[in-house]
Amino acid sequence: SLPRFSARCRRTAPRELRVSRTVLWLLCQWAACLWGLLIEVLWGGAAMGAAPVCGVECARCGKAATLQCPKCVEQGLPKTNSAFCSQDCFKQAWAEHKRCHVKAAGADWMYCTKRGRGRSKTMPSFDWTGDLRPHRIGPTRQVPASIPHPDWATDGEPTEEVHSRMQNSVPIYSGKTLDGIRAACLVARRILDAGHAAVRPGVTTDEIDRVVHEATVAAGAYPSPLNYWNFPKSVCTSVNEVICHGIPDQRPLQEGDIVNVDVSAYYKGYHGDLNETYLVGNADEGSRKLVSTAYECMMQALAAIKPGVRYREMGAIISKHAEGAGLSVVKTYCGHGIGSLFHCAPNIPHYRGNKAVGVMKPGQVFTVEPMINQGSWKDVTWPDGWTSATTDGRRSAQFEHTIVVTETGCEILTARLPESPLLHWEAGWKPRTAVSAMVAPKADSSTGGESNGTAKASANAADGMTAGDAPASSIPKTAS
């Protein structure tokens, strides 16, 4: 429209006022900018969007809303206070409504990019495989200086971990060192239980991150995922088709979703790591079966752990059970050693035919955390550089425990506690198989741990995974 307008000016203007087409076009551009500036001053940069808004009342008069303030859309504010029935209603409410923009402006909610190092005001373009989309994330939460921090807390790089000999040599833990890992795992278990209690329809995954972060700090621990290779949050929340490393954001959980909450805690020099997958409200039968089977896969693998067992055998056990249920096992990520380092040797692949080298010995500490998919085992990474999703958009579930190999089996260091919130089968939907008894965590007087004893690896001893699942890139992959 601007070129046509400038041409019309040239035809109708007196000869002495005629100027070149370029000058007129520049004048029109300047006039348009001036008009936009005036609108910005008078209306705070907000103008009603053209997209309809359904099912929400006007924030001013209570009538059915049809339009939403674009400034609120940009800042990710809820529709409840940003939708209006008409332009006139919006104009009359502007003096009061614009205050919510000032309050939200400091939050700086944006989309995550560049593996946690970048932010964008617009959603990155991507060939999404399912219905889920990323939402804006909030500012990184802070940990008091009085709490010991791992080395990556400042620059995002786990330098000690990368250069440690424990990447190639599996450490053996005992005595006070093992007690320190037990304490960290018990802290992590209680933090995950707090996160589990917050899961329900309407709650955002960012709110779960807040709960986990505050519970971690209250326990005197540092959330291990925070700034690990620039990961921007304190917990991983993986919803529906997301396999792992989901970043908490503004999306509210919906009825029928499933969500994996992956907690890791750095406590007094040691890391504890676990995760669980939960149903959000009433999920369909396929999701129930997926979650239950993922739990069973983990527990059957744990039941086989003892000195002399090869690491690669975990994959055969897990694959047999998952494939028997018509499900698949993710090959890209694996279990890992843990203790004074967040990730170290050994790697524990979860799929059949893997080439992991080594056998289990008493005192070794590692995680078992199979990721089970409804469809293909293959994964794709979102533009944020972290979120791993299924290539076919079907759902994925995971559970994780940290264990220590004993002389006769293993001790589950992150076992569920009597006060842990119930998993869905404990409320009436039972897993299809039972697993033999496992040894429960030893008491830790400094953290008020449970007394020694046995804990059956059944519905009363379920568990899950964390934000730092170690990639299995160093393990040669073969077809199942």
Side-chain angles (χ1 to χ4, degrees), residues 40-389:
E40 181 72 23
V41 172
L42 294 177
W43 293 86
M48 292 305 294
V53 179
C54 301
V56 182
E57 295 181 349
C58 176
R60 179 178 175 272
C61 67
K63 295 180 181 179
T66 58
L67 301 171
Q68 187 178 6
C69 169
K71 198 71 172 180
C72 292
V73 174
E74 179 183 327
Q75 295 183 353
L77 300 180
K79 294 180 180 179
T80 308
N81 298 319
S82 62
F84 297 87
C85 63
S86 66
Q87 288 278 1
D88 289 339
C89 226
F90 178 58
K91 291 176 182 178
Q92 294 180 42
W94 176 250
E96 180 67 25
H97 173 71
K98 66 180 180 181
R99 296 179 182 177
C100 72
H101 299 158
V102 176
K103 294 177 182 178
D108 197 24
W109 290 73
M110 295 187 183
Y111 293 97
C112 180
T113 61
K114 299 180 180 179
R115 199 166 168 80
R117 298 189 302 275
R119 298 292 184 272
S120 172
K121 289 185 177 181
T122 58
M123 182 189 299
S125 59
F126 187 68
D127 186 13
W128 311 103
T129 59
D131 295 331
L132 197 67
R133 298 290 184 273
H135 285 57
R136 291 177 176 84
I137 69 171
T140 298
R141 292 183 164 88
Q142 303 301 310
V143 178
S146 58
I147 294 176
H149 290 44
D151 61 352
W152 60 81
T154 53
D155 60 7
E157 296 188 10
T159 304
E160 180 184 356
E161 178 178 300
V162 170
H163 298 288
S164 174
R165 293 181 179 178
M166 287 190 285
Q167 297 301 336
N168 300 309
S169 177
V170 182
I172 301 295
Y173 295 100
S174 62
K176 292 183 178 180
T177 302
L178 183 56
D179 287 341
I181 299 174
R182 282 196 185 96
C185 287
L186 182 58
V187 167
R189 157 52 60 188
R190 288 173 173 161
I191 294 168
L192 179 61
D193 288 348
H196 182 184
V199 172
R200 61 183 180 276
V203 172
T204 65
T205 49
D206 183 78
E207 172 65 11
I208 296 174
D209 180 75
R210 182 194 65 79
V211 170
V212 167
H213 182 88
E214 292 181 357
T216 305
V217 171
Y222 180 96
S224 303
L226 185 60
N227 210 37
Y228 181 80
W229 293 116
N230 304 115
F231 189 82
K233 291 294 181 176
S234 300
V235 66
C236 290
T237 51
S238 302
V239 180
N240 296 343
E241 68 263 28
V242 174
I243 297 171
C244 62
H245 303 158
I247 302 174
D249 58 26
Q250 285 186 316
R251 179 189 181 272
L253 294 173
Q254 300 175 7
E255 184 80 16
D257 283 346
I258 62 173
V259 57
N260 178 274
V261 180
D262 192 348
V263 166
S264 305
Y266 180 64
Y267 181 70
K268 295 184 178 180
Y270 300 98
H271 298 273
D273 188 7
L274 75 161
N275 72 55
E276 295 176 342
T277 301
Y278 309 120
L279 306 182
V280 182
N282 295 314
D284 59 58
E285 186 67 17
S287 296
R288 288 174 175 267
K289 175 184 175 182
L290 171 68
V291 173
S292 179
T293 302
Y295 165 74
E296 295 164 7
C297 285
M298 177 191 66
M299 296 307 296
Q300 288 197 10
L302 296 185
I305 292 176
K306 61 182 180 180
V309 173
R310 295 179 296 177
Y311 302 130
R312 69 181 66 174
E313 294 181 36
M314 298 290 95
I317 295 169
I318 291 167
S319 294
K320 180 179 179 180
H321 189 68
E323 292 166 4
L327 305 171
S328 63
V329 182
V330 174
K331 300 180 181 180
T332 310
Y333 303 94
C334 64
H336 53 90
I338 189 172
S340 57
L341 299 179
F342 194 5
H343 298 98
C344 62
N347 285 332
I348 311 294
H350 304 116
Y351 59 93
R352 180 187 289 110
N354 71 80
K355 304 300 181 182
V357 176
V359 299
M360 301 175 189
K361 299 178 181 179
Q364 293 179 349
V365 177
F366 53 83
T367 69
V368 176
E369 46 186 301
M371 287 146 271
I372 309 300
N373 294 353
Q374 287 182 326
S376 170
W377 62 266
K378 296 180 180 180
D379 64 284
V380 62
T381 303
W382 280 7
D384 59 35
W386 277 106
T387 305
S388 177

Side-chain angles (χ1 to χ4, degrees), residues 389-446:
T390 58
T391 56
D392 55 11
R394 302 191 68 186
R395 293 187 170 188
S396 180
Q398 180 189 20
F399 285 84
E400 176 189 22
H401 266 313
T402 297
I403 65 94
V404 57
V405 181
T406 65
E407 295 292 342
T408 57
C410 77
E411 178 183 339
I412 304 177
L413 302 177
T414 49
R416 292 174 60 78
L417 303 172
E419 63 269 24
S420 296
L422 297 178
L423 297 170
H424 73 266
W425 54 79
E426 296 176 309
W429 201 88
K430 299 294 183 182
R432 293 178 293 110
T433 60
V435 188
S436 59
M438 306 292 290
V439 180
K442 180 180 178 181
D444 187 318
S445 58
S446 64

Side-chain angles (χ1 to χ4, degrees), residues 13-32:
R15 182 180 299 275
E16 60 272 14
L17 295 179
R18 292 182 185 178
V19 291
S20 69
R21 180 186 297 269
T22 302
V23 172
L24 281 174
W25 186 83
L26 290 173
L27 287 173
C28 292
Q29 289 282 66
W30 177 82

